[in-house]
Amino acid sequence: MRAKSVTEQARRAQIVAAAVEVLAEGGYAAASFKRIAAVAGLSSTGLISYHFKGKQELVDAVYAEVTRVFAGFVLERMDRGAGAAEELRAFLTANVRFMAEHRNHAIALHEVRAHASAATAGDGDHRKMADLLREGQRAGEFRDFDADTMAVFVMALRDGVLARLGNRAEIDLDRCERELVTMVELATTRGTGTWAGGHGR
C-alpha cells in the first residue's frame, strides 16, 4: 500500500477534526459528509470520499483519534508508584478532567463508540480495572469483593457521566468528579478509606 504523503495526512487530520466537531454538536445521525465538509471548509464531499472509502472508515478514524487523545491525557496523570487506591483515584479524576478539557473529543467518543469497527476497548478497560482492583486487594488497600463485578460498576459510573455529557445536558463536572471519587472510595476501601481528605477542591 502506498504511503500517504504529508499533505494527505494533513487533509485526513483536518477531516477527522471536523468530524469530531460535527459529532459533538449534532451527534452521530447529523454527521453527514456534507456537514463535515462544510465545517472543514472543503469545496465538496468528494474530498472526503477521496481520503475515506465511506462513513465507516471515517468513523473508525475518528474513534482511533479520540481514543488516542483520551489515553494520552489519562496516562499522563497516572502514577504507578502511588498505590492502587491513589491510582484508581487518579484514573477517575483524569477521566472527568478529560471531559472538561476536551469536551468535543469526549462527546465524539460517546457518539461513535457503538459504531466503530474496532470499538472493543471496553473489554480491555474492564480487564485493566479488574487487575488494578485485585492489586489493591493484595496490598490490603481495598476490601474483599469480586474484582470483575466491581470493575463493571466503576466503569459504568464513569460511562454514566460521559453519557450525560453526550446528551449535551448541563452538568457540573467538578461536582461529578468529587462524587464519583467518593462513591468508588466508599464501595472499595476498608473502613473510612485511604482517600479521606483528598476530595475537596
Side-chain angles (χ1 to χ4, degrees):
M1 182 180 292
R2 180 181 65 85
K4 292 180 174 61
S5 69
V6 173
T7 301
E8 288 174 322
Q9 292 175 13
R11 179 68 80 189
R12 283 175 62 90
Q14 177 188 5
I15 293 168
V16 168
V20 168
E21 184 176 339
V22 171
L23 285 160
E25 289 179 352
Y28 181 80
S32 65
F33 275 16
K34 181 178 180 180
R35 178 59 182 153
I36 293 169
V39 171
L42 303 178
S43 58
S44 75
T45 59
L47 290 171
I48 299 178
S49 299
Y50 175 80
H51 293 281
F52 299 94
K53 294 177 182 178
K55 187 172 182 178
Q56 186 61 60
E57 186 173 331
L58 177 55
V59 164
D60 291 342
V62 169
Y63 181 78
E65 173 63 11
V66 295
T67 52
R68 181 192 67 79
V69 174
F70 170 73
F73 184 92
V74 173
L75 288 174
E76 284 180 1
R77 289 154 179 79
M78 305 293 281
D79 181 1
R80 292 299 299 171
E86 284 301 321
E87 186 78 358
L88 179 54
R89 182 178 188 275
F91 171 80
L92 296 171
T93 298
N95 271 256
V96 181
R97 288 298 91 204
F98 178 80
M99 297 178 203
E101 297 179 28
H102 297 272
R103 187 183 183 92
N104 281 359
H105 279 72
I107 295 175
L109 176 60
H110 172 73
E111 292 292 332
V112 303
R113 187 160 50 184
H115 304 281
S117 301
T120 58
D123 293 336
D125 288 345
H126 175 270
R127 287 193 296 272
K128 291 176 183 177
M129 177 57 64
D131 288 343
L132 178 61
L133 294 170
R134 291 189 186 95
E135 179 183 324
Q137 287 175 322
R138 287 192 295 269
E141 296 181 65
F142 298 147
R143 66 178 180 81
D144 184 34
F145 51 73
D146 182 79
D148 285 311
T149 302
M150 184 62 74
V152 171
F153 296 153
V154 172
M155 300 307 289
L157 287 169
R158 188 281 307 269
D159 290 346
V161 179
L162 180 58
R164 182 70 173 172
L165 186 72
N167 289 333
R168 283 160 288 279
E170 289 299 319
I171 181 171
D172 185 336
L173 287 172
D174 286 337
R175 180 173 296 174
C176 280
E177 179 185 334
R178 291 194 299 271
E179 294 300 336
L180 179 61
V181 169
T182 299
M183 289 175 69
V184 175
E185 175 195 17
L186 292 172
T188 57
T189 54
R190 298 177 181 277
T192 57
T194 59
W195 301 350
H199 306 145
R201 291 180 65 83

